């Protein structure tokens, strides 16, 4: 028994350590989808890390070269606030809360986006912000709720 333990232990220890590392990294870089995954479109060049997408109330589109910090929540799913108890739990509008995140947008860590909204191309949303309204292209917004901070000059602008 000791011989078997001595032979197997290093291999088992290595495999367990590798799996733990995979899970740790996977937790940082694997996004999750609540509701219908068919309502989520993420461009192959986008980096969304460990975002949560809720597609219960609409479609979510993530454009080219978009990138997210960690713990971003993109919520097209809502509940009816005028209902109570189990009715509130079950009253989920299935449309009207679409979210479009255009090309080159940067959503920093801990951003929450609640639909319906469009975040314009190359906009930047500061860490911890709550986006409840449309964000123009090339805008920097931050805060709760997110407010306009300044505009960015597109590349090649004079």
């Amino acid at each position: 028994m000791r011989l078997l333990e001595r032979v197997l232990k290093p291999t088992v220890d290595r495999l367990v350590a590798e799996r733990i590392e995979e899970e740790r990294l996977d937790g940082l870089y694997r996004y999750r989808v609540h509701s219908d995954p068919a309502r989520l479109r993420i461009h192959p060049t986008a980096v969304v890390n460990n975002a949560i997408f809720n597609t219960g109330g609409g479609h979510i589109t993530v454009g080219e070269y978009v990138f997210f910090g960690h713990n971003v929540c993109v919520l097209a799913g809502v509940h009816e606030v005028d209902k109570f108890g189990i009715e509130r739990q079950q009253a989920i509008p299935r449309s009207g809360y679409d979210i479009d995140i255009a090309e080159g947008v940067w959503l920093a860590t801990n951003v929450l986006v609640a639909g319906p909204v469009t975040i314009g191309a190359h906009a930047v949303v500061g860490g911890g912000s709550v986006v409840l309204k449309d964000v123009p292209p090339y805008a920097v917004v931050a805060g709760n709720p997110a407010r306009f901070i300044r505009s960015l000059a597109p590349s090649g602008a004079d």
Side-chain angles (χ1 to χ4, degrees), residues 21 49 63 92 111:
E21 183 64 14
N49 290 316
I92 304 168
V111 165

Side-chain angles (χ1 to χ4, degrees), residues 37-78:
R39 296 173 121 194
L40 174 62
R41 299 274 185 262
I42 301 174
H43 193 275
T45 61
V47 175
V48 297
N49 290 316
N50 64 336
I52 296 175
F53 296 96
N54 183 327
T55 61
H59 291 83
I60 298 172
T61 304
V62 179
E64 288 184 281
Y65 303 106
V66 167
F67 64 105
F68 290 8
H70 291 282
N71 306 316
V72 171
C73 294
V74 183
L75 308 176
V78 298

Side-chain angles (χ1 to χ4, degrees), residues 2-121:
R2 289 182 184 248
L3 176 62
L4 186 59
E5 185 177 315
R6 276 198 323 253
V7 171
L8 289 179
K9 186 168 180 8
T11 302
V12 170
D13 288 348
R14 180 182 52 79
L15 291 172
V16 167
E18 287 173 5
R19 184 67 182 145
I20 288 170
E21 183 64 14
E22 285 174 20
E23 283 298 315
R24 189 178 70 76
L25 290 175
D26 206 32
L28 287 174
Y29 300 107
R30 180 177 46 193
Y31 66 87
R32 292 160 291 177
V33 181
H34 177 73
S35 203
D36 185 358
R39 296 173 121 194
L40 174 62
R41 299 274 185 262
I42 301 174
H43 193 275
T45 61
V47 175
V48 297
N49 290 316
N50 64 336
I52 296 175
F53 296 96
N54 183 327
T55 61
H59 291 83
I60 298 172
T61 304
V62 179
E64 288 184 281
Y65 303 106
V66 167
F67 64 105
F68 290 8
H70 291 282
N71 306 316
V72 171
C73 294
V74 183
L75 308 176
V78 298
H79 293 266
E80 295 287 342
V81 296
D82 294 330
K83 307 283 185 189
F84 302 96
I86 193 167
E87 286 185 60
R88 183 181 290 161
Q89 286 180 333
Q90 296 173 345
I92 304 168
R94 295 295 175 197
S95 63
Y97 292 89
D98 294 347
I99 297 172
D100 183 25
I101 302 170
E103 174 187 358
V105 168
W106 172 20
L107 301 180
T109 296
N110 294 320
V111 165
L112 185 145
V113 178
V117 297
T118 296
I119 301 177

